[in-house]
Amino acid sequence: MTSPRKPRLADAAEIAAEQGLTSARVTHLYNTRDENGFPEIAGMRRRARLWDHAEVTKWFAERSLARLGDHTPPPRDPEDLLNGVAASKFLGYKNINQVNTYVRDHPGYFPDPDVVEEMGTPERPYRKLLWRVQTLLDWKAARPGSGRYVSSERPAKALPAVPVDGDPDELLGATQAAALLGYKSVGSFSSSLAQGNLPLLQTPDALTEKGGRRRWTRKRILEQAERRRQKRQDAVVRPCPTAP
């Protein structure tokens, strides 16, 4: 039987650095926890207080949601790509690393990046994560947390019916590709593409002149759909190993 995973602990200095505050400000938030609900300490390192990092990050996230309700992002092209710092500023966070913190510490809370660029050298590789403005706007409209938002009460827009027997060389966009591949939304398609689950579509067949939006031929999309279907079928029929 495995023992429960120990939480990651962080002191005031680390929390302050992540949230764009001072250690004194973090201490003040703790001292006034009866009023603001700041988390209790989870341990001590000599004389330094330690908090459960996940609990503190969640507290700051929920606190930010209330403040961000009145924030209106500046006008941008929906197809513009923003990195973590630019996305944080676009969404109105005071902490310019807030988006990166969500991605690192809270998988599934923030949308997956639309584009992942492999950077650096073979010895020191790193990834550049980029989100489309429309992805950020969609998340802001229906983000997790308290409060009611008009957009969250609207049903998700249904994908169009796209014929499979059309011109195989016709260029189709993300919405049509999502429909042909059987996704429920464009966001799900974009997320899967960013994670490398659709290798045949990693390189588009064309880009639009305005906005550089990706386009793929119907033939290529259907080939990827067949691979996806076959992979699912293989997973279902694969026999379970028998005990010796």
Side-chain angles (χ1 to χ4, degrees):
M1 182 176 179
T2 58
S3 58
R5 184 179 180 182
K6 293 183 179 180
R8 172 187 169 189
L9 300 181
D11 59 18
E14 182 178 353
I15 294 170
E18 287 190 355
Q19 301 299 330
L21 305 172
T22 63
S23 297
R25 177 58 179 167
V26 174
T27 298
H28 174 74
L29 290 172
Y30 173 72
N31 291 337
T32 56
R33 60 190 179 281
D34 290 341
E35 302 172 9
N36 57 41
F38 195 78
E40 285 285 353
I41 61 173
M44 296 288 293
R45 183 188 299 130
R46 296 181 181 176
R47 298 178 61 184
R49 299 186 182 99
L50 299 175
W51 288 268
D52 184 320
H53 183 269
E55 287 186 4
V56 173
T57 303
K58 181 180 178 182
W59 183 86
F60 276 106
E62 292 176 347
R63 184 167 177 257
S64 297
L65 289 177
R67 186 182 69 249
L68 293 178
D70 297 328
H71 173 73
T72 301
R76 293 289 299 262
D77 186 321
E79 291 295 314
D80 281 353
L81 291 169
L82 306 179
N83 62 18
V85 171
S88 298
K89 293 180 179 178
F90 177 77
L91 291 170
Y93 288 109
K94 290 185 177 180
N95 176 15
I96 62 173
N97 290 313
Q98 188 63 62
V99 167
N100 292 328
T101 299
Y102 284 153
V103 173
R104 184 187 67 227
D105 297 327
H106 298 277
Y109 177 78
F110 199 75
D112 291 323
D114 295 296
V115 175
V116 178
E117 297 181 356
E118 300 296 336
M119 309 288 287
T121 64
E123 295 76 19
R124 294 185 177 181
Y126 68 92
R127 298 188 306 162
K128 184 178 182 181
L129 308 182
L130 300 168
W131 289 264
R132 285 190 169 77
V133 165
Q134 188 60 57
T135 299
L136 300 175
L137 292 175
D138 290 344
W139 177 81
K140 182 179 184 299
R143 63 183 180 266
S146 59
R148 298 179 62 188
Y149 303 91
V150 174
S151 58
S152 66
E153 297 175 356
R154 298 174 182 171
K157 185 177 180 180
L159 294 175
V162 182
V164 299
D165 55 354
D167 182 356
D169 294 322
E170 181 183 1
L171 293 171
L172 305 176
T175 300
Q176 292 81 5
L180 287 175
L181 288 164
Y183 287 100
K184 294 182 179 180
S185 67
V186 178
S188 298
F189 162 75
S190 297
S191 174
S192 187
L193 183 64
Q195 295 177 55
N197 297 329
L198 305 172
L200 294 183
L201 305 184
Q202 289 299 311
T203 302
D205 293 297
L207 297 174
T208 60
E209 293 183 5
K210 184 177 181 180
R213 299 185 181 185
R214 295 167 293 180
R215 294 291 183 263
W216 302 269
T217 62
R218 179 182 273 103
K219 179 181 179 181
R220 185 186 295 272
I221 294 171
L222 291 177
E223 288 177 355
Q224 182 64 79
E226 176 59 25
R227 284 197 185 185
R228 189 165 180 257
R229 184 195 67 78
Q230 188 62 50
K231 184 177 180 180
R232 287 183 172 182
Q233 184 177 358
D234 291 344
V236 172
V237 302
R238 186 180 296 116
C240 297
T242 57

